[in-house]
Amino acid sequence: MKESTAMQNLPPYLFARIEKKIEEARQQGWDVISLGIGDPDQPTPEHIIAALVEASRNPENHQYPSSVGLLCYREAVARWYKNRFGVDLDPYTEVVSLLGSKEGIAHISMAYLDPGDINLVPDPGYPVYGIGTQLAGGTPYLMPLKEENRYLPVLEDIPDHVAKQAKLMFINYPNNPTGAVANREFYQKVVEFARSYDILVCHDAAYSEISYDGCQALSFLQIPGAKEVGVEFHSLSKTYNMTGWRIGWMAGNREAVEVMGRFKSNVDSGVFQAIQYAGIAALEGPQDSVEQLRKMYQERRDAAIEIMRQLGWSYLTPQGSFYMWVKVPPGYTSAEYCEYILEKAKVVITPGNGYGQYGEGYFRIALTVDKSRIIEALQRIKELA
Ligand SMILES: *Cc1c(COP(=O)(O)O)cnc(C)c1O
């Protein structure tokens, strides 16, 4: 049986070749250091695990959950938004639970697109925005994120006829893969743009709590008018080291939350309730683990920067997320350089073109391994030079 055209048209998996090489190097006994993994290396805080254990013993939690989430979970999300951002959300109508934010990001296109519709998608970016668009039969229009624009899309560059055909716009700050953070002026422009072209803004705020140098990332929903034109996807994955737990939410525009809830009631049956109780414990419990996490990533970032300076590399000092986006030295493509580094230094870095065509010429490193390993990896690369 032949797979669908949409499946056939998905971009090739660029990391497959690298993964094969990592496997080979490990089999030969090399100590490979991977700076390629966008997954926190630290465990979930203990009090969150305790909440899961307790809630999992209650038989009420063994049945099908509601596909939009327990009311008490949605209330905890609303309280967290109020405390953290000063944003008012109605837990009944403006919050829906997700099986991790990736699930909602992939599905929202299916709930909104008709064949031929356009989604505005950042490039480089988290691949799910474009892939969800394609699986829904839509067409991604790439908004280039360039260094000279501090990795913010230039809305004025989007042609009028494209904007008129667009249904959704994806944005993501603090940004994966560039580490850029957006300011209020940018979000204000996005609200105006979305209003004038009738576009639903989908802001991916997965890294809102991972920011550095004492600055706090904004929520898109803090901007006046944002709730009329957009939603925010969020998740416990990065803030509380819970990537394996699969729990997140979408919040904001009431109609969009209703549409998403209706879509989900037809395709899944929600998040295991015990995990939702653990999520409440995460949002409402002590937050010192989050402060420690920021400090740890910042120390890793600063250690990496020190050696990168000596290497003469060109990079953006990340203000948020746990990635660094670095220019490939002259004479290499992204793929060539990453293969060269893997072969000679046994260090995994990911080629920028894996995040879109405008990522060519860059590579990404993730700060998700111990500081000493980051230092060792970069020293190995330094020795090659
Ligand atoms: C990690 C990540 C997410 C979070 O995914 P979950 O499905 O919530 O685990 C979302 N967006 C971006 C850009 C990410 O890097």
Side-chain angles (χ1 to χ4, degrees):
M1 185 62 71
K2 206 157 161 259
E3 64 188 340
S4 70
T5 315
M7 280 299 292
Q8 289 172 47
N9 287 344
L10 290 185
Y13 186 57
L14 271 164
F15 304 124
R17 207 181 136 89
I18 290 195
E19 273 169 14
K20 198 160 154 263
K21 295 212 157 196
I22 298 170
E23 204 37 55
E24 281 167 14
R26 288 208 165 118
Q27 268 166 13
Q28 289 163 15
W30 291 101
D31 170 30
V32 177
I33 303 178
S34 180
L35 304 180
I37 305 168
D39 193 344
D41 58 315
Q42 297 297 304
T44 306
E46 200 52 49
H47 68 279
I48 301 173
I49 298 170
L52 170 74
V53 169
E54 193 192 327
S56 68
R57 293 217 167 89
N58 181 350
E60 275 175 30
N61 293 332
H62 298 170
Q63 296 183 288
Y64 282 125
S66 132
S67 49
V68 299
L70 285 162
L71 179 61
C72 56
Y73 173 69
R74 288 177 285 143
E75 284 171 341
V77 169
R79 273 195 296 273
W80 184 80
Y81 260 81
K82 182 72 184 166
N83 290 337
R84 169 68 177 85
F85 300 114
V87 168
D88 287 302
L89 290 172
D90 175 1
Y92 288 92
T93 59
E94 295 178 331
V95 182
V96 55
S97 68
L98 296 172
L99 297 146
S101 57
K102 183 179 189 179
E103 179 260 308
I105 291 166
H107 278 149
I108 194 160
S109 290
M110 288 183 206
Y112 273 93
L113 295 197
D114 286 314
D117 283 343
I118 288 176
N119 280 350
L120 306 173
V121 171
D123 183 315
Y126 187 51
V128 189
Y129 313 131
I131 287 172
T133 304
Q134 282 177 271
L135 287 176
T139 307
Y141 177 84
L142 306 180
M143 302 186 289
L145 305 188
K146 294 184 180 163
E147 191 180 348
E148 65 259 35
N149 304 315
R150 310 180 78 233
Y151 299 110
L152 299 171
V154 179
L155 304 181
E156 296 79 16
D157 288 351
I158 300 166
D160 194 56
H161 70 276
V162 171
K164 280 183 179 148
Q165 255 182 289
K167 289 289 249 325
L168 309 179
M169 172 195 276
F170 289 99
I171 48 175
N172 162 226
Y173 297 96
N175 184 254
N176 174 9
T178 67
V181 168
N183 56 21
R184 191 175 291 273
E185 292 69 47
F186 170 72
Y187 288 133
Q188 281 164 347
K189 274 198 218 165
V190 170
V191 170
E192 267 169 51
F193 184 86
R195 208 183 263 148
S196 56
Y197 288 105
D198 194 22
I199 290 168
L200 182 72
V201 177
C202 300
H203 181 233
D204 177 352
Y207 296 95
S208 82
E209 303 316 292
I210 312 293
S211 62
Y212 306 118
D213 307 316
C215 52
Q216 284 203 316
L218 296 172
S219 162
F220 175 66
L221 301 178
Q222 278 173 274
I223 307 306
K227 251 207 269 183
E228 280 125 66
V229 297
V231 291
E232 192 152 81
F233 288 90
H234 216 308
S235 153
L236 302 170
S237 288
K238 309 295 159 58
T239 314
Y240 302 102
N241 305 323
M242 291 175 72
T243 48
W245 296 56
R246 312 315 303 137
I247 181 165
W249 67 81
M250 186 185 95
N253 184 269
R254 189 174 297 234
E255 287 80 37
V257 166
E258 188 280 322
V259 169
M260 197 64 186
R262 190 149 41 89
F263 179 90
K264 285 175 62 62
S265 69
N266 286 286
V267 302
D268 70 61
S269 300
V271 179
F272 179 32
Q273 287 189 7
I275 292 182
Q276 296 187 57
Y277 284 108
I280 297 170
L283 292 170
E284 313 229 298
Q287 300 296 306
D288 38 323
S289 67
V290 187
E291 191 51 49
Q292 281 162 17
L293 203 63
R294 274 192 285 268
K295 195 161 157 266
M296 182 191 75
Y297 288 132
Q298 186 166 322
E299 281 170 13
R300 291 175 180 180
R301 179 198 71 165
D302 294 344
I305 283 175
E306 202 180 308
I307 306 174
M308 286 185 180
R309 258 203 223 117
Q310 297 161 12
L311 276 160
W313 280 356
S314 166
Y315 54 84
L316 177 86
T317 299
Q319 294 302 300
S321 84
F322 43 57
Y323 305 106
M324 292 192 69
W325 189 241
V326 186
K327 245 192 199 134
V328 167
Y332 296 93
T333 65
S334 291
E336 283 165 1
Y337 189 66
C338 294
E339 272 190 48
Y340 165 72
I341 291 299
L342 178 58
E343 221 156 83
K344 302 288 184 195
K346 312 297 174 196
V347 170
V348 182
I349 55 180
T350 44
N353 57 320
Y355 306 94
Q357 65 190 70
Y358 293 96
E360 178 53 49
Y362 291 84
F363 62 90
R364 191 192 80 172
I365 76 166
L367 303 169
T368 49
V369 296
D370 198 73
K371 188 166 89 177
S372 63
R373 296 289 278 170
I374 293 177
I375 293 170
E376 177 173 349
L378 294 174
Q379 289 291 2
R380 284 191 203 168
I381 295 173
K382 202 174 142 201
E383 275 153 30
L384 295 178

